[in-house]
Each structure stands twice: as C-alpha cells, then as structure tokens.
Amino acid sequence: KKIIYACLNNKKIVKFFYLNEKEFSIKKQEIFFSEYLNSHFNKCIQLIDKYLATADDSYIIIWKDTNKELLEIERQITIATKTSDLILVNNEYIISSQHDNKTIIIININTFKISKIISNIDCIDSQNSLFNFQDYVIINCVKDIQILFKETKEITQNIQNFDNELTNKDIYDYNN
C-alpha cells in the first residue's frame, strides 16, 4: 500500500498519510490508544490484510482496520519493556527487538501470540535494528551483528566486533 504511518511524538496516535498520484493526503482514519497518553508509539507497521501492529514501551498491539475512523484492538501483547523495532518477516510472523531485556520476540501472525523468545541478543536501541535480507533477518547489536535464519527462527551466525572494527557501524537496507 502507498501509506505512511506517522507515530506522533507526544501522544499514542498514529496518523495515516496516503499517496494519491503525486501528493500525500491525510485520512481521518487513525490509531488512538487512550492509555499512557503522555508517551508515544515507537513504531507502526502494516501486517497482512486489514491488520497493523504498533510497539511502545509496554505492549505490542495488533489493530484491526474495520473501515471506521478508529482502528480496533485485536490483541494486546504485554512485553513490559520498550520495543524498539518491529518488522514483518513474512506472512507467518513478525519480529520485535527489546534492547533493555536483550531479547528478540517472534509473534505468530495467525494467532497473534508469542511463538518464541530469543535471549542474550544485545540489539541496539533503534527503530532500525532489524533488517529483512533474503532468507535472513540481520540484527544490529551493540557489539556484533547477529544473523537469524527465517526458516528455523534461529541465530545462525554472529559477526563479532574484533578490535572495535564495528564501533560506529550503520546498517542500511536498499531494496535488499
């Protein structure tokens, strides 16, 4: 879809901007979460069909688009720590990163339940810590780069930071 999901900085609101021809327009439809109004969503992504997911400092929330002004909560998953990044891996699951807990959480899209938690992953605290790349998810970590194989949902490789070679690393995704 040609949509930008904009998370407001001081409220738990996501605005939708649509690209029509050569200009953007804002739609009245939005996500609004009345709890913890002084905080904000860290990320919002499109899932399958009429579902979106938001991440904040406590929850990952699955929203259902019922073509009303406000999307409805389908499921609220308590994470109890900040989720920095959230990506749709394929039509089976999404992955989220939690810097403070040093975890990666895998959520099944069909059930919207946590299917796996991978511990001891020191991912950076960034909205760009997870990257889809062919059959893998690249995880940008504080002291290394972890490679997760999508099919097995297991870490298959760790590229360590020898002699501070990766101290100021940035990882970019340009259409894979």
Side-chain angles (χ1 to χ4, degrees):
K1 294 183 178 181
K2 296 180 179 182
I3 302 173
I4 294 175
Y5 302 106
C7 301
L8 299 188
N9 196 31
N10 60 349
K11 295 178 184 174
K12 290 222 174 160
I13 295 175
V14 178
K15 297 283 188 181
F16 298 7
F17 293 88
Y18 291 86
L19 178 61
N20 298 324
E21 298 295 320
K22 294 183 180 181
E23 63 183 35
F24 285 98
S25 63
I26 189 166
K27 190 171 181 182
K28 289 183 181 179
Q29 191 177 34
E30 66 184 20
I31 291 175
F32 174 75
F33 190 56
S34 59
E35 292 184 36
Y36 311 108
L37 282 177
N38 292 332
S39 61
H40 58 87
F41 291 117
N42 300 324
K43 194 153 189 181
C44 178
I45 63 169
Q46 175 75 46
L47 301 179
I48 55 173
D49 299 323
K50 296 184 176 195
Y51 293 98
L52 285 91
T54 57
D56 63 24
D57 293 353
S58 300
Y59 307 104
I60 293 174
I61 302 174
I62 309 299
W63 300 86
K64 185 174 184 179
D65 185 351
T66 58
N67 292 322
K68 297 178 183 174
E69 278 192 35
L70 293 176
L71 275 70
E72 298 175 0
I73 294 176
E74 180 74 17
R75 182 177 292 295
Q76 185 172 322
I77 305 164
T78 302
I79 304 297
T81 192
K82 178 182 178 182
T83 296
S84 300
D85 200 1
L86 187 65
I87 63 168
L88 176 66
V89 175
N90 53 31
N91 289 337
E92 297 175 23
Y93 60 94
I94 59 177
I95 294 181
S96 65
S97 65
Q98 292 73 36
H99 168 76
D100 293 341
N101 281 3
K102 294 187 177 185
T103 56
I104 298 294
I105 295 178
I106 299 172
I107 299 171
N108 182 303
I109 289 182
N110 297 316
T111 62
F112 297 126
K113 293 183 179 178
I114 295 173
S115 62
K116 187 171 191 172
I117 299 174
I118 302 173
S119 300
N120 299 319
I121 305 289
D122 67 338
C123 52
I124 63 170
D125 185 10
S126 169
Q127 293 176 346
N128 297 308
S129 61
L130 304 171
F131 297 93
N132 266 324
F133 183 73
Q134 298 172 5
D135 294 333
Y136 303 94
V137 173
I138 299 170
I139 306 166
N140 193 359
C141 298
V142 174
K143 295 182 180 179
D144 54 15
I145 296 170
Q146 302 276 341
I147 309 294
L148 181 136
F149 186 47
K150 291 179 184 179
E151 187 176 318
T152 62
K153 301 176 191 81
E154 297 287 338
I155 301 295
T156 59
Q157 190 171 1
N158 174 9
I159 303 168
Q160 292 186 350
N161 182 9
F162 294 107
D163 299 323
N164 293 324
E165 290 175 14
L166 302 175
T167 302
N168 296 314
K169 71 183 178 316
D170 285 325
I171 299 176
Y172 299 96
D173 178 17
Y174 294 109
N175 297 321
N176 293 331

